[in-house]
Amino acid sequence: MTDRAELAEQIRSACLQAASAAYEQAGISGLCGEGRWKLAVQALKTLDLAPLLETSTPETRRPATPKPEARRGSMQRIEPLRRLSSEHHAGLVIARRARELARNAPDAREAAWADLRQRFADELEPHFKLEERGLLPALLAAGEGVLVERTLAEHLRMRAMIDAGGPEDLGAFAEALADHIRFEEKELFETAQRVLGTEALERIQALHDREAAPVCRT
């Protein structure tokens, strides 16, 4: 195999592994099939190939990972919840990046924490407030107080971590955010799709239509 062919195979393998890992992580977090594919594509967009290009040798070649297959699991998101679920995809990207920096780049934690605080203000806080103004009151009225209380408690905990925490909390916040998204996708949203009536869903959709979506960075 020529050097160019070997490099192409290594790049292909790295891309497949990145997409597969992101797809599986999104499934663990409870995202539906569409959301899992979006996160896999996002992983490809952010994959750093520079180290591979710099150190490309036959010894570094790794076997290709099979293309992930779509699986059935969570319900397909209905329109009033689609925006919130889409914002969860961006939240998982934030959590994954924070986790990786906390583990592998201790010298970059201070800058990463500053970036995380800004992204919390720009993306996560508006998402929390949107849920608290629309979805959560509707679920409370439908008798799902336990789920609402847990959601609000987790929102409060993450706000407190951002307000009072520091670079040393980067990994802990990443885990808290990923766990929260997993809970909302697997339990909160699934329950909402089962118990909320047409009128409640229309009110949620009207609120979402009035509120501009946050600009999510990649």
Side-chain angles (χ1 to χ4, degrees):
M1 185 180 291
T2 66
D3 290 344
R4 292 183 64 182
E6 290 172 351
L7 178 58
E9 176 61 24
Q10 290 171 28
I11 292 174
R12 175 178 174 274
S13 177
C15 290
L16 285 170
Q17 287 186 336
S20 178
Y23 184 89
E24 292 302 320
Q25 180 59 46
I28 292 171
S29 297
L31 294 184
C32 60
E34 179 184 358
R36 296 175 74 177
W37 281 113
K38 285 184 178 180
L39 204 65
V41 171
Q42 182 64 36
L44 291 176
K45 290 180 178 179
T46 58
L47 179 62
D48 183 8
L49 293 173
L52 185 62
L53 296 175
E54 292 171 359
T55 61
S56 176
T57 64
E59 289 75 16
T60 62
R61 189 188 315 137
R62 291 182 287 183
T65 301
K67 183 177 180 180
E69 298 180 357
R71 300 179 183 177
R72 293 184 179 180
S74 303
M75 297 180 190
Q76 190 73 17
R77 290 287 167 253
I78 56 178
E79 184 61 32
L81 299 181
R82 199 164 294 163
R83 169 178 167 179
L84 296 175
S85 192
S86 178
E87 290 172 1
H88 279 170
H89 308 154
L92 285 175
V93 172
I94 294 172
R96 185 176 70 243
R97 177 169 174 77
R99 185 187 300 115
E100 290 173 352
L101 289 172
R103 290 175 179 173
N104 304 320
D107 294 341
R109 287 178 187 172
E110 187 170 347
W113 181 255
D115 181 68
L116 176 63
R117 285 174 57 88
Q118 188 61 54
R119 296 196 71 168
F120 184 92
D122 293 343
E123 302 174 40
L124 298 176
E125 180 63 26
H127 173 85
F128 289 175
K129 287 181 177 178
L130 194 63
E131 290 179 335
E132 291 165 2
R133 292 174 58 197
L135 177 62
L136 298 187
L139 283 170
L140 187 61
E144 298 295 337
V146 173
L147 289 178
V148 171
E149 288 178 7
R150 175 176 172 180
T151 304
L152 291 172
E154 292 184 3
H155 286 183
L156 184 62
R157 179 190 175 208
M158 284 184 280
R159 284 168 171 145
M161 292 177 75
I162 288 294
D163 289 341
E168 67 278 4
D169 299 306
L170 191 64
F173 183 88
E175 295 304 324
L177 177 58
D179 288 346
H180 177 69
I181 292 173
R182 184 180 302 118
F183 155 69
E184 288 200 343
E185 288 288 341
K186 286 188 173 182
E187 298 186 45
L188 192 73
F189 288 6
E190 297 288 297
T191 299
Q193 293 196 184
R194 288 196 305 269
V195 306
L196 295 183
T198 302
E199 185 177 347
L201 292 171
E202 287 177 349
R203 285 197 297 269
I204 293 171
Q205 185 62 51
L207 172 64
H208 292 184
D209 290 342
R210 292 194 303 269
E211 297 289 332
V215 177
C216 299
R217 293 185 282 127
T218 58

